[in-house]
Amino acid sequence: MSSSASEKTSPASARSFERYVPVDHTRVAFDGGFWKSWQETVRDVTIPTQHKRLEEEGFLEVLDFDNPPGPLARPIQPSGLSMQHFFDSDFGKWIEAASYTLKNHPNPDIEAKIDAIVEKLEHGQMQDGYLNSWFIRREPEKRWTNLRDLHEMYSMGHLLEGAVAYFEATGKRRFLDVMIRAVDHIIDTFGPEPGKLRGYDAHEEIELALVKLYRVTGDPRHLKLATWLVDERGQMPSYFDDEARRRGEDPADYVFETYAYSQAHKPVREQTEVVGHAVRAMYLLSAMTDLAFENDDPTLKDAADRLFADLTGRQLYVTGGLGPSGANEGFTRAFDLPNETAYAETCAAVALGFWCSRMAEIDLDGKYTDQLETVLFNGALSGIARDGEHYFYENVLESHGQNRRWKWHYCPCCPTNIARFITSLGKYFYTTKGNEIAVHLYGANVAELDLDGTFVRLRQDTAYPWDGDIRIALGLFEPTDLTLKLRIPGWCGGGARATLNGRDIPLAPVKGYAEVSGTFKDGDELRLHFDMPVERLYAHPAVGEDAGRVALRRGPVVYCVEEADIGTEPQRLRLAPDARLEPRYDADLLGGAVVLEGEGYEAAADGFDGGLYRTAPPALKPKPFRAIPYHLWANREAGAMQVWLAER
Ligand SMILES: [Zn+2]
């Protein structure tokens, strides 16, 4: 990632924030361990099959600009939106996910498929730069008339992210130039200047994409547009009201009733609770965090921190899933965390990871990276099957077997989102600032880092997350002064130890990061040990759904019990508070995983005599059970699953 223009022009001392810059994902190779097989699966299976689905399902047909549009692949909903309005976003996100693989694993076939899409986009782009396949082909006169419902900037934002990723992977400018023209068109159309529309898209996305563009182009207009879109959001009177009246509609007829759905009910700096559509909220917060740095604006970071505290203190599933309700694909009220009806969209968990990593760039605090790790191993990874070609949109925490992974979705936003998260995973592991290396995540990999001209090779050998022992070996051309900031995971409590070249060194973490400084030489070896006991987690008593229940976690991995392992619905299972729980590595389970084995009880139906109720509680029979990592559920035969287990 290139450094930003503002970094070059402002003295560091005058700024509120200094940024730890992510290491480019192409410099981090997962050559073994947990993520190797996931990255290979996504690269070799997910990326090609997703393109196949995009073709089969008519997503790429929308680019056939020389012919009249065919019948709708997705009907119009009561809001006036068809999923087809934002098909561009789906192939935009696919291009982004695929691009992240191309530098280290060139694939002429995938590259040709991307080039074919880019050629059509360029061909279809209007003279003035406007680019959206729906409006160009179907309703050109209606473009920019409904930012509240129809996702035009959202779709362009995903194309823009795809263009930046493809440019960085291949050096080819064509797609990037198409999208810069599209951004120029938005700048010509929207803004505070007289004669321009004061509108912003109800579905955030383009804001963070514009910051990515700015970091490539250095063009201050790109940053200015992102800033204005965020600042304008939620200003009253609402642009969405004015726009509805211009369409001859009554703003009161808005199908989602409140602009909180789009985090546009009040200016972003005045918001104190995460509300509305969860993916939108996370994309907005990602952009706010980027802009806090780029504009050196602590007011945006303060607002983001208030919302982070609300989210993590009142509205987040133990898996890192978020947004419990399908009705608004988002938040409802504090402590409303139903398990079986959890919406907890994969995209929202992925986007929470995007946001948390950005927060940690400008404020190195383990509270952010702990959440990044939680979604990574749980609520996001659960969105993709072990085979790499089946998915979850909703990530429930309890099922009676009705939830099965699907091959493609009616609204396939999630598959490409989890794909881009995994293909770019390296950039979430390390950030650097000066001669400092912040190590956020653990997992076997080898990273090549450039610190102010000094080359550092950093290798992690570990079976993490199955094991809490990590060996970090440094490769250096000459003795070098370095500072390592090592994340001490919040879950490990006081159980962290370290040695440097075999000698114990003290760990005194500040905000979740322990500093190890000194003159390092080639071959220096740091060993970390994190205690990884099986933990029993209890929910805040206001979460009525989880009363009398316990969730199991070991390290960063949250567990569930699946019917496939115990032969009965886990809803019948009861755990004694002191039940023995033993971790064991099972090499045969879906590529290998640590499972938890324990002794519980099964509530027996004996004595109910066909009735539904009786005055005595059910008899309890001893029942051995095993729990598997939540992210691996629904990869075997259909059956019930539960994360929050009843205690007896
Ligand atoms: Zn989604």
Side-chain angles (χ1 to χ4, degrees):
M1 185 166 296
S2 55
S3 61
S4 68
S6 52
E7 274 177 314
K8 287 167 194 152
T9 53
S10 305
S13 59
R15 296 180 54 92
S16 301
F17 304 110
E18 292 181 59
R19 178 168 175 243
Y20 284 84
V21 178
V23 169
D24 192 283
H25 70 278
T26 60
R27 308 294 300 278
V28 182
F30 296 93
D31 55 352
F34 185 87
W35 290 110
K36 178 173 189 276
S37 70
W38 277 105
Q39 275 207 330
E40 285 173 352
T41 299
V42 171
R43 189 179 70 230
D44 298 340
V45 179
T46 308
I47 298 296
T49 55
Q50 286 186 350
H51 185 272
K52 196 157 159 246
R53 304 282 175 263
L54 289 167
E55 270 189 326
E56 289 167 354
E57 301 274 334
F59 283 69
L60 298 176
E61 185 278 336
V62 304
L63 295 173
D64 191 6
F65 290 100
D66 291 334
N67 290 299
L72 283 183
R74 298 288 189 275
I76 307 279
Q77 299 178 336
S79 66
L81 176 74
S82 160
M83 300 300 169
Q84 199 159 338
H85 274 104
F86 53 94
F87 275 9
D88 292 4
S89 72
D90 293 302
F91 50 77
K93 229 183 306 172
W94 176 79
I95 291 173
E96 185 189 345
S99 295
Y100 291 141
T101 69
L102 290 176
K103 203 164 191 172
N104 291 346
H105 300 276
N107 184 326
D109 178 52
I110 293 292
E111 205 168 319
K113 286 181 163 68
I114 295 173
D115 288 339
I117 293 172
V118 171
E119 186 171 335
K120 288 178 180 173
L121 283 167
E122 185 179 53
H123 178 61
Q125 183 168 34
M126 295 176 78
Q127 277 294 325
D128 63 2
Y130 182 84
L131 185 56
N132 177 285
S133 66
W134 173 283
F135 286 96
I136 292 172
R137 290 184 79 199
R138 291 178 187 270
E139 301 181 299
E141 74 289 357
K142 288 192 178 173
R143 67 180 205 172
W144 300 135
T145 59
N146 188 349
L147 301 189
R148 187 189 69 187
D149 300 314
L150 301 183
H151 293 33
E152 280 160 285
M153 285 191 203
Y154 165 81
S155 297
M156 288 192 202
H158 275 307
L159 289 175
L160 183 50
E161 283 198 90
V164 169
Y166 193 56
F167 168 69
E168 290 187 325
T170 63
K172 295 185 190 173
R173 282 203 65 98
R174 190 178 188 183
F175 193 12
L176 189 67
D177 288 338
V178 165
M179 292 317 299
I180 288 173
R181 287 198 293 277
V183 170
D184 285 343
H185 167 75
I186 296 174
I187 292 170
D188 290 343
T189 310
F190 295 92
E193 297 87 358
K196 292 187 181 180
L197 298 169
R198 298 190 68 101
Y200 50 90
D201 201 296
H203 199 316
E204 302 91 328
E205 151 59 28
I206 197 165
E207 299 85 354
L208 73 88
L210 285 164
V211 178
K212 283 190 179 181
L213 178 66
Y214 167 67
R215 287 174 177 167
V216 168
T217 62
D219 184 338
R221 296 178 317 132
H222 298 154
L223 181 64
K224 191 176 155 201
L225 177 60
T227 305
W228 181 79
L229 289 170
V230 168
D231 288 348
E232 192 65 14
R233 186 166 214 89
Q235 303 290 345
M236 295 295 152
S238 171
Y239 179 80
F240 299 139
D241 283 355
D242 296 344
E243 188 194 53
R245 287 190 201 97
R246 285 200 293 275
R247 292 194 304 272
E249 296 170 13
D250 182 350
D253 293 339
Y254 179 43
V255 71
F256 290 105
E257 295 178 358
T258 161
Y259 297 140
Y261 175 65
S262 300
Q263 301 78 41
H265 56 308
K266 56 174 85 164
V268 299
R269 290 171 185 78
E270 295 171 22
Q271 298 187 24
T272 55
E273 294 173 356
V274 282
V275 293
H277 188 285
V279 181
R280 298 179 191 217
M282 294 305 107
Y283 287 166
L284 170 63
L285 283 159
S286 297
M288 285 167 62
T289 308
D290 283 342
L291 292 171
F293 171 74
E294 293 296 350
N295 296 323
D296 200 36
D297 181 349
T299 65
L300 279 176
K301 170 68 165 44
D302 291 346
D305 268 321
R306 280 194 299 277
L307 296 168
F308 184 84
D310 177 60
L311 174 68
T312 56
R314 288 175 283 275
Q315 306 210 56
L316 190 64
Y317 284 102
V318 69
T319 54
L322 61 158
S325 170
N328 65 345
E329 301 192 276
F331 302 103
T332 53
R333 59 172 172 80
F335 305 112
D336 180 28
L337 296 166
N339 291 314
E340 193 167 359
T341 58
Y343 197 69
E345 182 179 344
T346 303
C347 285
V350 169
L352 173 59
F354 294 162
W355 176 35
C356 289
S357 66
R358 285 166 163 82
M359 291 292 268
E361 286 173 19
I362 62 170
D363 180 6
L364 189 68
D365 190 327
K367 71 182 177 183
Y368 307 123
T369 31
D370 279 351
Q371 292 301 339
L372 165 65
E373 184 178 60
T374 297
V375 294
L376 187 57
F377 282 112
N378 304 288
L381 193 57
S382 58
I384 184 167
R386 203 65 193 82
D387 67 10
E389 53 180 321
H390 292 83
Y391 309 94
F392 273 140
Y393 193 111
E394 296 108 325
N395 293 278
V396 299
L397 284 80
E398 174 169 2
S399 175
H400 287 272
Q402 72 275 32
N403 305 79
R404 302 302 296 158
R405 295 177 182 276
W406 34 263
K407 191 174 136 184
W408 198 240
H409 199 270
Y410 188 77
C411 174
C413 49
C414 299
T416 47
N417 232 339
I418 185 67
R420 66 177 174 152
F421 199 21
I422 293 176
T423 55
S424 63
L425 193 59
K427 78 174 181 187
Y428 301 100
F429 270 65
Y430 307 101
T431 55
T432 66
K433 187 181 75 176
N435 72 339
E436 294 182 32
I437 304 168
V439 181
H440 306 291
L441 297 171
Y442 299 102
N445 72 80
V446 57
E448 296 185 335
L449 316 174
D450 290 308
L451 306 175
D452 290 344
T454 303
F455 175 82
V456 181
R457 191 167 186 273
L458 191 157
R459 163 174 279 284
Q460 286 193 40
D461 289 307
T462 175
Y464 197 93
W466 310 131
D467 182 298
D469 289 312
I470 301 134
R471 173 180 167 272
I472 296 177
L474 293 174
L476 293 160
F477 288 116
E478 57 190 1
T480 306
D481 290 339
L482 290 177
T483 295
L484 297 173
K485 295 270 180 91
L486 304 162
R487 173 173 156 262
I488 308 300
W491 48 258
C492 92
R497 297 192 299 277
T499 62
L500 181 60
N501 297 327
R503 301 174 66 161
D504 286 345
I505 54 170
L507 291 176
V510 175
K511 296 206 298 185
Y513 284 80
E515 183 174 314
V516 181
S517 299
T519 305
F520 290 88
K521 60 185 187 313
D522 189 48
D524 276 351
E525 184 181 282
L526 193 64
R527 285 182 185 259
L528 289 170
H529 168 84
F530 302 131
D531 282 351
M532 235 184 224
V534 180
E535 294 181 292
R536 306 170 70 108
L537 300 179
Y538 296 91
H540 187 288
V543 186
E545 180 92 8
D546 299 335
R549 295 179 184 278
V550 61
L552 305 178
R553 183 177 71 182
R554 180 174 176 273
V557 179
V558 174
Y559 282 76
C560 68
V561 176
E562 219 179 0
E563 189 172 350
D565 289 307
I566 63 170
T568 185
E569 292 207 329
Q571 286 79 358
R572 291 260 194 117
L573 199 63
R574 304 286 181 270
L575 254 64
D578 58 352
R580 182 186 63 83
L581 294 162
E582 294 290 340
R584 182 176 69 80
Y585 186 75
D586 181 348
D588 297 326
L589 179 71
L590 299 163
V594 165
V595 299
L596 307 181
E597 294 177 333
E599 295 292 335
Y601 298 89
E602 181 179 350
D606 311 359
F608 278 80
D609 299 328
L612 194 53
Y613 306 103
R614 72 172 193 181
T615 55
L620 297 181
K621 298 178 175 176
K623 174 80 179 173
F625 74 95
R626 80 170 188 166
I628 67 163
Y630 169 72
H631 71 255
L632 288 175
W633 93 276
N635 276 293
R636 298 171 293 172
E637 66 266 32
M641 178 279 290
Q642 201 168 28
V643 170
W644 287 97
L645 306 167
E647 281 198 331
R648 56 167 293 192

